[in-house]
Amino acid sequence: MIRVLIVDDQAAYRSAMRRLLAREQDFEIVGEAADGLEAVQQAELLKPDVVLMDFSMPLLDGVTAATEIQRKVPTVKIFIISAYADTLDAGKIMRAGFMLLDKALTAEEIVSAVRMEAAGTSSASED
């Protein structure tokens, strides 16, 4: 079972991601967060396998929150998700230990990327 924390300041996106992943038998949504600070708190409490983190977040931006989560929960795999993934510094995000996903990816592509990373079989981002 892949335990997932969904982090996005838009409730509609969190809801859509929850519905998408809930269809998969090997995914369990353990929590949600609406800002970077809440994401850090939830990750520390819930110890998810995977965090899907929006890049643009209130209180703590996605990369800052992800860095703090990684420090507190070193085994977690973190995906930075952005509608503007093509304009971000993907190399910098990947060097920090995070994967980059474009919000425009299909449901199948997102599920596949998360499964591969959770299984330890991916080293590249989806952009």
Side-chain angles (χ1 to χ4, degrees), residues 62-85:
V63 174
T64 301
T67 300
E68 186 65 15
I69 290 169
Q70 193 173 55
R71 188 180 67 76
K72 293 180 180 222
V73 187
T75 58
V76 71
K77 310 278 192 205
I78 301 175
F79 289 87
I80 301 295
I81 301 175
S82 177
Y84 309 102

Side-chain angles (χ1 to χ4, degrees), residues 8 12-13 18 31 33 40 49 52 63 65-66 76-77 84 102 114 119 123:
D8 198 290
Y13 187 80
R18 176 181 280 282
V40 173
D49 300 313
L52 299 175
V63 174
V76 71
K77 310 278 192 205
Y84 309 102
D102 192 316
V114 172
S123 61

Side-chain angles (χ1 to χ4, degrees), residues 17 20-21 23-24 103-113:
M17 188 59 66
L20 164 74
L21 297 178
R23 296 186 317 211
E24 305 298 321
K103 281 188 176 181
L105 291 175
T106 67
E108 294 79 21
E109 290 170 322
I110 291 170
V111 167
S112 177

